Amino acid sequence: MSIRYVESKKLFQIETAHSMYQMKINEIGILLHTYYGEKLGNMDMSYQIPSVERGFSGNPYEISTHHEVSLDLLPQEYTSSGVGDHRISSIDAISNNGSRSIDFRYKCHKLLSSKYSIEGLPYVRAHKDDVCTLEIILIDEIIGLEIKLLYGVFESKDIITRTVELTNIGKTTIILEKVDSICIDFLNTNYDLIHFQGRHCMERQFEQNTLNHDIQTISSKRGMSSHQNNPYVILTELATTEDIGNCYGFMLMYSGNHKTEIEVDQTNNTRLVMGINDDYFRWELEPNSVFHAPETILTFSNLGLNKLSQNFHNIIRENICPIQFQNIQRPILINNWEATYFDFDYTKIIKLAKQALEVGVNMFVLDDGWFGNRNNDNAGLGDWIANESKLPGGLTKLSKDLKAIGMNFGLWFEPEMINENSELYKSHPEWVLQDPSRKPVISRNQMVLDLSNIDVQNYIFKSIDKILEGSEIAYIKWDFNRSLSNVYSNALPNSKQGEVSHKFICGTYSLLERLNSKYPNTLIEGCAGGGGRFDAGMLYYCPQIWCSDNTDPIARLKIQKGTSYGYPVSTMGSHVSAAPNHQTGRDVSLKTRGIVAMSGTFGYELDFDKLTDIDKSEITKQIENFKKYYWIIQKGTYFRLTNNKENSFYEAWEFVSKDKTKILLNMVVTNIKANSEIPRIKLKGLEKHLIYHIEGTKEKFTGAALMYAGYVFSLNIEDYQSFQILLVLEK
Ligand code: DGJ
């Protein structure tokens, strides 16, 4: 087992293939965090903790003559609160007498040979992996609160998962105002923080800052993980690059309000806490009840950021996404959104489907506008009944007719939303999240349904279920097009309104779970105005998520690259759309659009009437190539090959097949220069003494030449030109 407890030293040691994590119970029962990083053998790392007295750092009563023992100075595994640690706390709770003091001490622990699960929330699944669990219980007997710290260890994948469970073992209600899923302390190290910020149409932009003293926060309080700040951060040592150096990744498996706080303290120690955002959060923990926090996923890499990303890619592909989609080729889509927007009828749809079928597409996705009175974005959300004036015979006929021509059928929903102008709103205005004393905030003309209410969940489930039972639907696009405001449930008493944001997202998870269990082979693609809910929580139910509403390939390079730091390309919904692009007006060749979209789940989203025959044969070839490279792209090892600090005019990336015999190298010029320097791209992950040839040519190279000197591209005088070559290992 990869977890050990050394009783004589009161030491817990977790080991993965390339990392070590250590904790120790101190003399007064405080659970210290003593180490996370490179493997160091059997060493009690508590010698690193200084025994130094510092002014204004109080001491626990039972040891108050030892001025050097202070919660303010000790690295801890999960903090107490209000009892002398003046840094960020992992918890904030109020007991019956109004006190906010919580003082956790070690109670007991257990080692289990399987992975824990989390009630009502997504979690990293254990399949056949060598996974085990460590449970440590801390207790505050005065307030009557027990906290179970849970660690799942995926040894061969270099992943540790963490979560906490709080149980009220007292006789009175405890109000939880903050519950982090993880706290981790690093001693005296200078780190950079990498995080992924953005906005609608420009998600997950890489940003790196050096941490200064005090607290930096990465968060969302939009009711969704958000376009603005992804619940994923990296701490890196300052010299770390894509391929060298130490770095740590922390990913929250949660799709609602989240917050990560990183504090550099008075003596340069770094603390990170991550969990549900405490803004808008207040939970009444009644006696004998349990609160489950979302899971966090941790990994350490001593080989830079590419390796760190690959660790996340493996665990997400193999242990988070629904397993049934792991070893099958996902559909190549034609989505009618950018082809027709709301302006379609049966004839247009069938025509587009036939055109797409001819070039090799195998799934037609009918996007927004097929239901209720929805001819624009003013009306209809909530009324999940096909609009027969557009689609005579409804979805049953459409899906049959598509099947008859050999096309699979997929359908768009926005289940959590409602328009004021809808039948649903007329019959159930109380189902909207809305403060009854004021007018709601409207966004994209819509409001949000109260998913914390089981009746609402049942209504949505029944509506979708009825459609899935009546037609053959192999794919659902699950959209979500606004942030939450007026978060107030008419089904809950005033004192429980602080629970609504979390209960909302649990309601969404529960719905997705019901659909996944009844229709395990229906692929659900997540979406939230593009990638506004691109997180590990959604990926538990949806193996792919529409990466962005921005389909411009040049903008997509940055979005997909940013996304790749945490998430594999097999999760990134990516389509070839029209040129000039509808979001940016940029005119980019079909070839480049294809190469960028292929580093994702792939599909098309354009009006085939506007394509020439030459375009259509190019698309046919693109689809053949995508199918040929499918497993290299979807399951191969992904490497970022360009560093924004070194060049600003091209992007390159590579996939190495699992058996290392094939390498797909991609390159796009993003900003051509006159009289340009020559891009020499250094490949990664090759065997240096072996020979590789470029498919379809006589060119041959040693792995060493390609890795250490680079592959040379000859550029044309053309912006946004691109290259895709396959290198094959010589037998
Ligand atoms: C936002 C999505 O991201 C788009 O792809 C499209 O489905 C629209 N919503 C439809 O309203």
Side-chain angles (χ1 to χ4, degrees):
M1 198 186 279
S2 43
I3 309 169
R4 279 190 314 130
Y5 177 62
V6 185
E7 173 64 40
S8 56
K9 296 181 177 162
K10 302 214 175 310
L11 202 72
F12 296 98
Q13 181 145 321
I14 296 174
E15 290 197 37
T16 68
H18 304 98
S19 74
M20 168 177 149
Y21 189 105
Q22 203 186 74
M23 295 161 268
K24 185 179 173 90
I25 310 161
N26 84 351
E27 63 273 39
I28 55 166
I30 306 291
L31 186 62
L32 305 177
H33 174 81
T34 47
Y35 181 74
Y36 184 31
E38 182 120 16
K39 282 183 149 177
L40 303 176
N42 294 335
M43 183 73 212
D44 178 347
M45 294 306 294
S46 61
Y47 81 89
Q48 289 267 315
I49 302 172
S51 192
V52 178
E53 178 183 344
R54 291 192 194 275
F56 292 85
S57 294
N59 319 108
Y61 192 81
E62 63 269 51
I63 205 162
S64 57
T65 51
H66 289 255
H67 291 178
E68 74 289 357
V69 181
S70 171
L71 292 186
D72 206 24
L73 307 171
L74 291 172
Q76 292 160 66
E77 195 56 22
Y78 199 86
T79 70
S80 294
S81 171
V83 289
D85 182 346
H86 301 284
R87 298 167 289 176
I88 10 165
S89 303
S90 351
I91 185 162
D92 190 6
I94 309 173
S95 56
N96 196 32
N97 69 355
S99 162
R100 284 183 181 267
S101 300
I102 305 169
D103 202 355
F104 285 129
R105 299 299 156 101
Y106 169 84
K107 181 183 174 194
C108 59
H109 73 269
K110 242 194 238 166
L111 271 55
L112 305 166
S113 57
S114 56
K115 165 91 194 322
Y116 63 85
S117 56
I118 310 177
E119 202 186 301
L121 286 170
Y123 54 87
V124 184
R125 316 168 210 247
H127 299 308
K128 285 185 208 122
D129 302 84
D130 40 352
V131 189
C132 49
T133 295
L134 168 63
E135 263 184 37
I136 305 178
I137 297 183
L138 311 180
I139 185 167
D140 180 330
E141 279 171 357
I142 295 175
I143 181 172
L145 189 60
E146 247 186 31
I147 182 162
K148 192 189 279 177
L149 309 181
L150 287 152
Y151 301 80
V153 186
F154 292 74
E155 185 175 356
S156 56
K157 291 197 165 115
D158 273 322
I159 292 285
I160 299 175
T161 60
R162 281 187 62 178
T163 186
V164 304
E165 235 178 66
L166 286 165
T167 308
N168 184 342
I169 53 165
K171 294 202 164 40
T172 55
T173 300
I174 299 169
I175 309 294
L176 303 175
E177 295 208 330
K178 181 184 195 206
V179 180
D180 276 314
S181 298
I182 173 184
C183 166
I184 190 160
D185 279 340
F186 294 93
L187 292 174
N188 194 26
T189 322
N190 291 323
Y191 288 120
D192 269 5
L193 167 69
I194 296 175
H195 67 106
F196 303 91
Q197 59 81 32
R199 56 186 183 275
H200 178 225
C201 284
M202 216 55 210
E203 297 87 339
R204 290 172 298 288
Q205 302 295 298
F206 178 98
E207 192 165 278
Q208 178 163 0
N209 303 311
T210 298
L211 288 168
N212 295 316
H213 288 99
D214 212 359
I215 301 172
Q216 156 121 31
T217 301
I218 307 297
S219 69
S220 162
K221 52 178 181 174
R222 294 172 172 268
M224 62 204 289
S225 48
S226 89
H227 304 85
Q228 286 72 11
N229 288 306
N230 198 260
Y232 171 50
V233 302
I234 301 170
L235 294 184
T236 90
E237 287 181 4
L238 302 190
T240 298
T241 66
E242 287 286 5
D243 304 294
I244 301 167
N246 292 335
C247 47
Y248 301 83
F250 304 92
M251 184 179 281
L252 187 68
M253 204 165 173
Y254 191 58
S255 314
N257 295 338
H258 60 88
K259 191 190 248 183
T260 302
E261 295 164 277
I262 306 110
E263 176 170 9
V264 180
D265 76 7
Q266 53 180 334
T267 55
N268 296 344
N269 304 309
T270 303
R271 168 171 293 173
L272 178 144
V273 299
M274 182 181 233
I276 295 177
N277 197 330
D278 50 339
D279 283 350
Y280 305 149
F281 179 80
R282 183 184 178 278
W283 194 275
E284 295 191 327
L285 192 68
E286 275 138 31
N288 300 319
S289 62
V290 180
F291 180 80
H292 301 271
E295 188 164 58
T296 43
I297 309 163
L298 281 64
T299 194
F300 162 76
S301 157
N302 59 2
L303 291 173
L305 296 165
N306 264 319
K307 182 70 176 81
L308 185 94
S309 301
Q310 289 156 10
N311 290 351
F312 277 112
H313 296 173
N314 289 338
I315 198 89
I316 291 176
R317 267 192 308 236
E318 292 169 23
N319 300 77
I320 294 182
C321 293
I323 191 166
Q324 60 274 31
F325 300 106
Q326 220 184 87
N327 295 319
I328 57 160
Q329 287 212 11
R330 310 254 187 91
I332 297 169
L333 309 181
I334 172 74
N335 179 306
N336 73 307
W337 182 242
E338 287 199 24
T340 67
Y341 296 102
F342 289 107
D343 180 20
F344 63 82
D345 59 14
Y346 174 86
T347 315
K348 255 197 192 175
I349 293 302
I350 290 289
K351 183 177 178 201
L352 181 59
K354 283 185 178 157
Q355 289 167 321
L357 189 74
E358 270 170 31
V359 295
V361 167
N362 52 23
M363 165 86 71
F364 185 91
V365 177
L366 182 58
D367 210 282
D368 196 353
W370 57 266
F371 51 91
N373 184 24
R374 189 146 172 103
N375 300 311
N376 51 45
D377 62 18
N378 265 319
L381 289 173
D383 302 338
W384 301 110
I385 296 167
N387 179 339
E388 296 225 10
S389 60
K390 286 183 191 175
L391 304 171
L395 298 171
T396 313
K397 174 169 164 50
L398 181 63
S399 65
K400 265 197 197 135
D401 294 353
L402 287 170
K403 194 172 179 199
I405 61 166
M407 190 64 122
N408 293 311
F409 183 39
L411 194 60
W412 180 96
F413 288 92
E414 196 176 356
E416 296 139 287
M417 298 292 166
I418 180 167
N419 282 115
E420 211 168 355
N421 185 354
S422 67
E423 293 307 314
L424 181 62
Y425 188 73
K426 274 186 213 150
S427 47
H428 284 292
E430 79 287 5
W431 280 1
V432 171
L433 277 184
Q434 183 180 356
D435 170 353
S437 62
R438 59 183 80 235
K439 294 280 179 213
V441 172
I442 305 290
S443 179
R444 206 196 187 202
N445 307 310
Q446 64 198 55
M447 297 181 290
V448 186
L449 283 168
D450 177 8
L451 266 282
S452 73
N453 180 343
I454 184 75
D455 295 339
V456 178
Q457 291 174 30
N458 288 339
Y459 167 81
I460 303 173
F461 179 77
K462 276 190 204 136
S463 313
I464 300 178
D465 189 34
K466 197 165 170 202
I467 289 169
L468 297 191
E469 276 185 342
S471 326
E472 256 185 67
I473 293 177
Y475 162 108
I476 289 175
K477 180 172 172 186
W478 184 292
D479 209 344
F480 184 90
N481 282 302
R482 62 161 291 179
S483 309
L484 267 55
S485 14
N486 308 105
V487 178
Y488 188 98
S489 167
N490 288 299
L492 288 172
N494 296 356
S495 62
K496 290 205 175 283
Q497 293 304 325
E499 301 182 12
V500 180
S501 298
H502 180 56
K503 286 188 165 153
F504 175 90
I505 204 69
C506 293
T508 298
Y509 289 151
S510 158
L511 254 177
L512 285 160
E513 182 69 50
R514 280 162 85 178
L515 285 166
N516 273 349
S517 358
K518 181 155 180 197
Y519 300 98
N521 298 319
T522 302
L523 188 156
I524 306 182
E525 174 158 347
C527 176
R533 218 162 45 176
F534 203 115
D535 56 69
M538 288 309 281
L539 288 171
Y540 181 86
Y541 309 97
C542 316
Q544 57 193 62
I545 298 177
W546 183 227
C547 210
S548 177
D549 272 350
N550 188 343
T551 56
D552 169 356
I554 304 306
R556 271 294 185 120
L557 283 173
K558 279 197 154 189
I559 297 168
Q560 293 177 197
K561 183 176 180 178
T563 308
S564 81
Y565 282 88
Y567 307 92
V569 297
S570 61
T571 62
M572 297 184 209
S574 187
H575 298 166
V576 172
S577 64
N581 179 268
H582 292 192
Q583 292 78 42
T584 61
R586 196 162 6 216
D587 208 343
V588 179
S589 71
L590 190 51
K591 179 179 178 195
T592 300
R593 283 179 274 154
I595 287 177
V596 175
M598 262 187 221
S599 286
T601 59
F602 205 47
Y604 292 81
E605 180 150 351
L606 39 69
D607 182 354
F608 271 60
D609 279 345
K610 299 206 171 111
L611 297 176
T612 63
D613 287 345
I614 297 174
D615 292 337
K616 286 183 194 159
S617 37
E618 192 174 338
I619 290 181
T620 310
K621 187 76 195 140
Q622 267 174 4
I623 292 178
E624 279 167 18
N625 280 343
F626 180 67
K627 286 185 178 157
K628 189 164 101 190
Y629 303 145
Y630 187 83
W631 293 114
I632 310 178
I633 295 175
Q634 303 296 322
K635 285 207 174 180
T637 308
Y638 170 91
F639 288 93
R640 291 174 295 270
L641 301 180
T642 34
N643 176 340
N644 305 336
K645 287 184 197 151
E646 283 164 12
N647 99 80
S648 57
F649 80 106
Y650 63 89
E651 280 294 349
W653 67 102
E654 157 206 291
F655 301 95
V656 179
S657 67
K658 282 235 145 164
D659 62 4
K660 295 192 173 176
T661 59
K662 294 194 176 95
I663 292 99
L664 188 67
L665 172 62
N666 305 275
M667 194 269 209
V668 177
V669 175
T670 51
N671 189 14
I672 191 76
K673 299 176 179 181
N675 196 13
S676 168
E677 61 258 43
I678 305 297
R680 292 185 181 83
I681 294 174
K682 293 179 181 163
L683 278 72
K684 295 173 188 175
L686 276 56
E687 298 293 343
K688 59 181 175 189
H689 300 298
L690 300 182
I691 305 289
Y692 297 82
H693 74 264
I694 313 269
E695 194 195 43
T697 74
K698 294 206 164 84
E699 287 184 272
K700 287 187 186 178
F701 304 90
T702 59
L706 291 169
M707 288 198 293
Y708 308 132
Y711 183 79
V712 181
F713 281 107
S714 323
L715 299 185
N716 306 313
I717 302 183
E718 177 199 340
D719 208 0
Y720 312 129
Q721 62 198 285
S722 57
F723 303 86
Q724 185 174 60
I725 56 174
L726 186 73
L727 293 118
V728 183
L729 185 70
E730 293 258 286
K731 296 226 168 82

